[in-house]
């Protein structure tokens, strides 16, 4: 009896081992190609190895017991293969989802660190200016009335800049936390664009940049928060002015397309580097090309969050925002769904 058991073990090993080795080799070859195929091979290999061992031990004598065993294995095949395919697809989707979540978390953490670095740097400058001017006034270094007034204006300008940065941080935190609440209503997109154009024209004039407006004659109804939409367009227009050299032109226009209303903000600046296009809407990302220093050409100093805020507000309206290069300059497009009510 012991000899029979030993013989059975040896025979089973001789017949099942090659199948196992072959299955392992195939699995190693396809492991980088398809998770579904890998999972099917993982299920099939032990079943085929078991069948091979049974056939080897039986000596190819297909008795009723062997037929019953083979029938059971065939039934298991029919159940196990679809189940392994379904589980592999589920696992593949879960793996992709987990990878995307990890990538998003890493990107968010990198963005937060970048934001802290930028804000720390940008807060330091106006605070240092305010402190220096305040010390000069306190120590009576400046006594002339005209100079005192000018110093007070400098403090006021830096305070406004700090206030704008705090407002941007607060707005960005609401967008990221999902606490943003929009007061949406049916509005004519042309009216919002007109208001933004009227408010931005003096800024463009101080920067030596021409400003053009192109809107359709008919009403363009959208369902939006007027304040939020105006902020989106203002951020885009100010960004366009900042990156347009003197003598250039910024154009804001509206077009009605099949899936909504499109607002385009075009400039005639140097364009955006290809490496910057993918990150242009990241928080605190300002790029490196042709950036106008804060306060020059009469332009307001930015916090580096303007485009990120614009993207967040557009997405909150179920719209989309994109950027592309033109010749010359660049183009920002905001697409909003039309109001059908």
């Amino acid at each position: 009896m012991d000899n029979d058991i030993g013989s059975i073990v040896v025979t089973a090993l001789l017949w099942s081992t090659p199948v196992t080795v072959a299955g392992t080799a195939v699995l190693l070859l396809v492991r980088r190609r398809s998770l579904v195929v890998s999972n099917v091979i993982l299920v099939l290999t032990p079943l085929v190895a078991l069948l091979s061992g049974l056939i080897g031990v039986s000596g190819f004598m297909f008795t009723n017991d062997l037929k019953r065993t083979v029938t059971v294995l065939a039934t298991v095949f029919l159940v196990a293969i679809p189940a392994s395919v379904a589980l592999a697809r589920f696992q593949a989707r879960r793996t992709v989802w987990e990878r995307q979540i990890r990538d998003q978390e890493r990107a968010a953490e990198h963005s937060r660190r970048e934001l802290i670095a930028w804000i720390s740097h940008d807060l330091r400058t106006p605070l240092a200016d305010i402190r220096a001017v305040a010390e000069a006034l306190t120590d009576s270094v400046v006594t002339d009335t005209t100079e005192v007034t000018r110093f007070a204006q400098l403090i006021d300008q830096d305070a406004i800049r700090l206030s704008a940065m705090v407002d941007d941080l607060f707005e960005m935190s609401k967008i990221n936390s999902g606490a943003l609440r929009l007061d949406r209503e049916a509005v004519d997109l042309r009216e919002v664009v007109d208001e933004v154009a009227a408010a931005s024209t003096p800024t463009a004039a101080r920067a030596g940049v021409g400003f053009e407006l192109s809107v359709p004659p008919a009403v363009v109804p959208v369902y939006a928060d007027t304040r939020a939409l105006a902020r989106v367009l203002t951020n885009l227009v100010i960004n366009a002015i900042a990156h347009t050299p003197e003598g250039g032109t910024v154009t804001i226009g509206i077009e009605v397309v099949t899936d909504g209303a499109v607002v385009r903000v075009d400039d005639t600046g140097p364009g955006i580097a290809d490496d910057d296009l993918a990150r242009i809407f990241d928080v605190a990302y300002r790029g490196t090309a042709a950036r106008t220093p804060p306060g020059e050409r009469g332009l307001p100093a930015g916090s580096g969050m303007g485009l990120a805020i614009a993207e967040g507000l557009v997405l909150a309206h179920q719209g989309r925002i994109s950027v592309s290069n033109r010749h010359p300059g660049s183009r920002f497009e905001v697409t909003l769904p039309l109001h059908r009510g």
Side-chain angles (χ1 to χ4, degrees), residues 90-146:
F90 170 76
Q91 185 62 33
R93 288 193 295 268
R94 182 174 179 180
T95 301
V96 171
W97 177 76
E98 289 177 348
R99 186 183 300 115
Q100 291 174 343
I101 292 297
R102 287 194 297 270
D103 291 343
Q104 291 174 1
E105 288 177 348
R106 283 194 292 266
E109 180 62 25
H110 178 72
S111 179
R112 282 192 292 268
R113 291 180 180 178
E114 215 171 35
L115 174 61
I116 292 172
W118 276 112
I119 291 299
S120 299
H121 177 270
D122 285 1
L123 285 175
R124 189 179 295 112
T125 301
L127 286 173
D129 291 343
I130 290 174
R131 182 175 181 181
V133 173
E135 288 179 353
L137 292 174
T138 302
D139 296 339
S140 299
V141 175
V142 178
T143 57
D144 181 73
T145 304
T146 303

Side-chain angles (χ1 to χ4, degrees), residues 187-197 226 229-230 233:
V187 297
D188 185 356
L189 184 58
R190 300 176 307 164
E191 295 180 358
V192 181
V193 170
D194 284 339
E195 292 176 2
V196 171
T226 304
L229 185 54
L233 299 180

Side-chain angles (χ1 to χ4, degrees), residues 10-308:
V10 171
T11 304
L13 287 174
L14 289 175
W15 281 84
S16 62
T17 299
V19 175
T20 304
V21 172
T24 303
V26 174
L27 181 62
L28 292 175
L29 289 174
V30 302
R31 70 185 188 281
R32 296 181 181 274
R33 298 183 182 179
S34 172
L35 185 59
V36 174
V37 175
S38 298
N39 218 44
V40 170
I41 293 173
L42 281 173
V43 172
L44 287 179
T45 299
L47 292 176
V48 174
L50 176 59
L51 179 60
S52 178
L54 287 172
I55 293 174
V57 171
S58 69
F60 289 93
M61 297 178 63
F62 290 92
T63 62
N64 289 331
D65 289 339
L66 181 59
K67 290 178 181 179
R68 284 194 292 269
T69 304
V70 171
T71 302
V72 172
L73 287 176
T75 306
V76 172
F77 274 126
L78 294 177
V79 174
I81 292 177
S84 65
V85 171
L87 289 173
R89 289 176 176 173
F90 170 76
Q91 185 62 33
R93 288 193 295 268
R94 182 174 179 180
T95 301
V96 171
W97 177 76
E98 289 177 348
R99 186 183 300 115
Q100 291 174 343
I101 292 297
R102 287 194 297 270
D103 291 343
Q104 291 174 1
E105 288 177 348
R106 283 194 292 266
E109 180 62 25
H110 178 72
S111 179
R112 282 192 292 268
R113 291 180 180 178
E114 215 171 35
L115 174 61
I116 292 172
W118 276 112
I119 291 299
S120 299
H121 177 270
D122 285 1
L123 285 175
R124 189 179 295 112
T125 301
L127 286 173
D129 291 343
I130 290 174
R131 182 175 181 181
V133 173
E135 288 179 353
L137 292 174
T138 302
D139 296 339
S140 299
V141 175
V142 178
T143 57
D144 181 73
T145 304
T146 303
E147 288 297 309
V148 170
T149 302
R150 187 175 69 84
F151 274 41
Q153 291 174 344
L154 292 175
I155 292 177
D156 183 59
Q157 291 173 2
D158 284 331
I160 292 174
R161 180 181 173 188
L162 289 172
S163 177
M165 293 173 65
V166 172
D167 289 343
D168 284 351
L169 277 172
F170 183 60
E171 191 81 16
M172 200 70 246
S173 67
K174 288 194 296 182
I175 292 172
N176 289 336
S177 65
L180 181 66
R181 296 292 180 268
L182 297 177
D183 185 13
R184 301 173 69 179
E185 58 183 352
V187 297
D188 185 356
L189 184 58
R190 300 176 307 164
E191 295 180 358
V192 181
V193 170
D194 284 339
E195 292 176 2
V196 171
S200 303
T201 298
T203 303
R206 288 194 299 270
V209 174
F211 197 86
E212 296 180 359
L213 185 63
S214 175
V215 297
V219 173
V220 183
V222 294
Y223 194 59
D225 184 316
T226 304
R227 182 199 65 83
L229 185 54
R231 180 160 194 181
V232 169
L233 299 180
T234 299
N235 288 355
L236 296 181
V237 170
I238 294 300
N239 179 76
I241 295 173
H243 292 83
T244 301
E246 291 187 22
T249 304
V250 171
T251 304
I252 180 171
I254 301 176
E255 181 183 1
V256 178
V257 296
T258 304
D259 59 344
V262 179
V263 183
R264 296 187 177 98
V265 179
D266 299 334
D267 64 65
T268 56
I272 303 171
D274 292 338
D275 292 340
D276 293 338
L277 280 174
R279 299 190 59 197
I280 199 71
F281 296 108
D282 288 359
V283 177
Y285 188 75
R286 297 173 176 176
T288 55
R291 180 170 179 268
T292 303
E296 289 194 8
R297 298 170 56 201
L299 298 172
S303 64
M305 289 178 283
L307 295 180

